[in-house]
């Protein structure tokens, strides 16, 4: 299946629902020097399979990025520029993203700013790397995830092979978290569909998300800034707290989304049963327990600090219906502690 995705006067052809060896045209990359950006685990898992996709290219090289969520950082960008110094300028290049979200953003940024005659494609290893490819704003970030450089770019082609996601283990739960984020921001009926079709972890890990791709493309075409920013303020605050290092990058993101939702709900009650919703999060495998001795006071101070560098957060009066944008107050952050503990006592 195919769809044309458009954003900011750019467009990308999204192919999904079939394996890569059928989805990628036989002459894809022909006449170009292909440089594949990846993470170590994907290189180890699929080196031969991916290399065979570009058998008509001039040459193929791999660049292995650090295996972290925000691998689109300044150090990685400088390292890949040094890596590219040995390649001639008189060839055409195809930069191919075959890695996590950070790799996707790094590839899109590199394609736009390099002096090479290049194009850019994405072989999505997960639903979240597909989502990142749909974002027209490609960033280089600081170590805490804050953007420092950005350009507008979309890949010429995006390929999503759902069989690749079968081996990602807990990564599929992260994909599901970002589906929930889309529902919270865009569409209550979509969120209800997730609740009905994926009631527990078993369904999350056993069922394919491929049928949701057209809906996701529609969401990102209309609301990508809101989707990507939802929870970001509360997520980045964990990088400023002493206990934050005990949470993985994806867990910081989960708690950022959840605390944004709780802050919204206590300020403007949503049409959502929060206790029932949190019980569902637990059933699908998302842990609702913070590290022991986690300091909400320190965390609240961190939120206020991070807020100085970010746009105001969005508040919805109904799921998918924006009311206003503003920063949380100190009083609201204090109340957030009580809201969290009250819900935990009821689930």
């Amino acid at each position: 299946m195919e769809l044309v995705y458009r954003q900011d006067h750019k467009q990308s052809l999204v192919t999904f629902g079939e394996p890569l060896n059928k989805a990628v045209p036989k002459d894809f990359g022909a006449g170009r020097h292909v440089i594949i950006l990846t993470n170590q685990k994907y290189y180890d898992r699929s080196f031969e399979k991916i290399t065979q996709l570009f058998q008509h290219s001039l040459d193929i090289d791999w660049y292995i990025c650090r295996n972290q969520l925000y691998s689109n950082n300044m150090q990685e960008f400088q390292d890949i520029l040094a890596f590219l110094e040995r390649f001639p300028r008189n060839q055409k290049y195809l930069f191919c993203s075959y890695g996590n979200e950070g790799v996707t953003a790094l590839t899109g940024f590199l394609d736009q700013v390099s002096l090479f005659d290049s194009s850019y494609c994405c072989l999505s290893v997960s639903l979240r790397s597909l989502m990142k490819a749909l974002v027209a704003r490609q960033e280089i970030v600081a170590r805490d995830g804050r953007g420092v450089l950005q350009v507008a770019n979309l890949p010429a082609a995006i390929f999503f092979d759902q069989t690749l996601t079968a081996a990602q283990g807990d990564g599929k739960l992260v994909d599901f978290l970002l589906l929930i984020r889309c529902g919270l921001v865009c569409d209550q009926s979509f969120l209800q569909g997730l609740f009905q079709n994926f009631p527990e972890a078993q369904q999350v890990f056993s069922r394919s998300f491929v049928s949701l791709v057209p809906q996701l493309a529609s969401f990102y075409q209309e609301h990508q800034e809101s989707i990507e920013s939802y929870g970001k303020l509360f997520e980045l605050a964990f990088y400023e707290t002493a206990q934050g290092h005990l949470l993985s990058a994806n867990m910081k993101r989960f708690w950022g989304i959840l605390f944004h939702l709780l802050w919204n709900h206590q300020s403007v009650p949503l049409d959502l049963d929060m206790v029932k919703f949190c019980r569902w999060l637990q059933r699908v495998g998302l842990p609702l327990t913070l590290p022991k001795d986690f300091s909400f006071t320190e965390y609240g101070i961190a939120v206020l600090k991070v807020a100085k560098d970010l746009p105001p957060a969005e508040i919805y009066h109904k799921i998918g219906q924006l009311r206003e944008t503003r920063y949380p107050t100190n009083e609201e952050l204090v109340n957030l502690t009580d809201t969290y503990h009250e819900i935990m006592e009821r689930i």
Side-chain angles (χ1 to χ4, degrees):
M1 292 179 281
E2 292 181 344
L3 63 86
V4 177
Y5 177 81
R6 294 182 175 87
Q7 189 69 230
D8 291 346
H9 307 293
K10 299 177 181 293
Q11 72 176 40
S12 183
L13 181 64
V14 183
T15 304
F16 58 100
E18 53 187 353
L20 288 178
N21 61 355
K22 292 184 178 180
V24 178
K26 297 297 183 183
D27 60 348
F28 199 73
R32 291 180 178 269
H33 185 144
V34 177
I35 298 178
I36 304 171
L37 282 71
T38 190
N39 306 105
Q40 185 69 54
K41 63 179 180 179
Y42 300 116
Y43 176 83
D44 293 341
R45 183 187 303 166
S46 308
F47 170 79
E48 292 186 4
K49 176 180 180 180
I50 300 304
T51 299
Q52 290 173 0
L53 298 176
F54 304 104
Q55 54 187 304
H56 296 296
S57 64
L58 295 176
D59 203 352
I60 301 174
D61 281 280
W62 290 72
Y63 177 85
I64 300 175
C65 299
R66 295 166 178 81
N67 190 31
Q68 57 192 45
L69 175 59
Y70 294 117
S71 54
N72 54 319
N73 57 59
M74 186 62 74
Q75 184 61 59
E76 197 73 79
F77 179 56
Q78 291 173 338
D79 289 348
I80 194 170
L81 289 180
F83 171 78
L84 293 173
E85 287 180 357
R86 63 190 177 93
F87 295 110
R89 298 282 179 84
N90 60 351
Q91 291 184 352
K92 292 184 177 181
Y93 290 84
L94 173 64
F95 293 123
C96 176
S97 167
Y98 180 65
N100 66 10
E101 299 156 75
V103 170
T104 302
L106 179 63
T107 309
F109 187 89
L110 176 67
D111 171 61
Q112 185 70 7
V113 304
S114 79
L115 297 179
F116 292 110
D117 181 353
S118 65
S119 61
Y120 153 47
C121 74
C122 179
L123 308 179
S124 302
V125 300
S126 62
L127 197 65
R128 56 194 182 278
S129 67
L130 167 66
M131 294 181 194
K132 182 59 69 175
L134 297 175
V135 178
R137 185 192 71 251
Q138 301 296 346
E139 288 186 325
I140 298 297
V141 301
R143 293 186 181 276
D144 62 0
R146 302 188 210 189
V148 292
L149 296 171
Q150 69 176 40
V151 296
N153 201 11
L154 282 178
I158 302 171
F159 301 96
F160 179 62
D161 177 359
Q162 69 270 22
T163 63
L164 296 176
T165 68
Q168 66 174 318
D170 288 341
K172 199 159 186 224
L173 186 58
V174 183
D175 282 353
F176 192 67
L177 169 64
L178 299 194
L179 288 173
I180 293 172
R181 182 177 67 175
C182 285
L184 290 170
V185 172
C186 301
D187 189 343
Q188 184 176 28
S189 63
F190 181 81
L191 186 64
Q192 289 173 334
L194 295 179
F195 180 81
Q196 293 167 357
N197 295 313
F198 303 91
E200 296 183 349
Q202 178 184 355
Q203 289 79 24
V204 172
F205 287 100
S206 63
R207 293 179 179 174
S208 171
F209 299 146
V210 70
S211 63
L212 303 176
V213 170
Q215 184 69 76
L216 288 177
S218 176
F219 288 156
Y220 268 79
Q221 196 158 297
E222 297 295 327
H223 307 288
Q224 64 177 251
E225 292 292 341
S226 296
I227 295 170
E228 289 288 306
S229 65
Y230 192 89
K232 182 64 70 174
L233 168 60
F234 295 90
E235 171 195 348
L236 296 186
F238 281 100
Y239 289 91
E240 303 287 340
T241 61
Q243 296 293 317
H245 72 281
L246 298 176
L247 298 171
S248 68
N250 280 315
M251 286 310 301
K252 290 184 181 73
R253 178 159 55 179
F254 163 65
W255 282 103
I257 293 170
L258 181 60
F259 280 168
H260 189 149
L261 176 64
L262 295 181
W263 167 65
N264 187 148
H265 190 65
Q266 74 180 20
S267 303
V268 180
L270 292 162
D271 46 343
L272 183 67
D273 186 328
M274 200 61 65
V275 172
K276 184 177 181 180
F277 178 77
C278 288
R279 285 174 180 162
W280 175 52
L281 296 181
Q282 279 194 326
R283 289 200 307 273
V284 299
L286 291 165
L288 294 182
T289 304
L290 284 163
K292 186 179 180 181
D293 301 326
F294 179 80
S295 172
F296 276 91
T297 301
E298 181 188 3
Y299 177 75
I301 294 172
V303 172
L304 297 175
K305 176 183 176 182
V306 172
K308 297 176 182 179
D309 298 324
L310 293 180
E314 296 185 340
I315 287 184
Y316 295 81
H317 61 90
K318 288 185 177 181
I319 298 297
Q321 298 183 27
L322 180 65
R323 172 171 173 167
E324 61 180 327
T325 61
R326 64 177 179 83
Y327 296 104
T329 65
N330 184 59
E331 181 180 0
E332 287 172 338
L333 293 171
V334 171
N335 292 337
L336 183 62
T337 306
D338 297 332
T339 301
Y340 167 72
H341 288 302
E342 287 173 4
I343 290 176
M344 288 299 295
E345 289 176 359
R346 295 177 61 188
I347 63 175

